[in-house]
Amino acid sequence: QVQLVESGGGLVQAGGSLRLSCAASGTIFSINGMGWYRQAPGKQRDLVAHIDSGGSTNYADSVKGRFTISRDNAKNTVYLQMNSLKPEDTAVYYCRVVNNRSVFWGQGTQVTVSS
């Protein structure tokens, strides 16, 4: 099993920044893809950003140029730097990790952007 611990969410004004972190621990064989998803009230959970084991990234169109995903393989940690935040970025953000072909989710961290 893999445990994911997320941190870094909170309340910020529009235009501000936050940095999310997600640390994986437990029985880790080979972490492949690491990503962040978000879910706003009444909406489905959508991909925000993804980074593969080689460092290639992809982003949702709505966050391109504002968010940056990165990973520290030595620490089994993935980060999401969020700049120029907008009220529509308000959601619960979830970390997702693929370990040895199994998918694990974090518990979620709330991000609230006030106008």
Side-chain angles (χ1 to χ4, degrees):
Q1 283 292 76
V2 172
Q3 295 78 44
L4 302 176
V5 178
E6 301 164 353
S7 61
L11 173 64
V12 64
Q13 289 188 331
S17 297
L18 285 173
R19 188 190 194 211
L20 305 183
S21 299
C22 173
S25 62
T27 307
I28 295 173
F29 296 103
S30 175
I31 293 181
N32 300 314
M34 306 181 84
W36 291 94
Y37 288 69
R38 68 186 180 187
Q39 188 168 19
K43 295 189 177 181
Q44 66 181 20
R45 188 175 299 186
D46 291 326
L47 173 69
V48 175
H50 179 269
I51 183 167
D52 67 17
S53 57
S56 295
T57 60
N58 64 284
Y59 297 91
D61 287 343
S62 59
V63 307
K64 283 180 181 178
R66 300 188 298 122
F67 291 12
T68 302
I69 189 170
S70 61
R71 60 190 286 172
D72 184 332
N73 292 329
K75 296 181 179 179
N76 294 319
T77 300
V78 62
Y79 305 96
L80 186 68
Q81 178 67 44
M82 305 185 293
N83 299 328
S84 302
L85 283 160
K86 304 176 181 179
E88 51 264 42
D89 295 318
T90 295
V92 178
Y93 284 69
Y94 296 90
C95 170
R96 177 184 183 270
V97 167
V98 179
N99 175 51
N100 198 33
R101 301 182 182 179
S102 295
V103 177
F104 298 90
W105 290 92
Q107 79 282 0
T109 184
Q110 177 70 45
V111 171
T112 302
V113 184
S114 63
S115 57

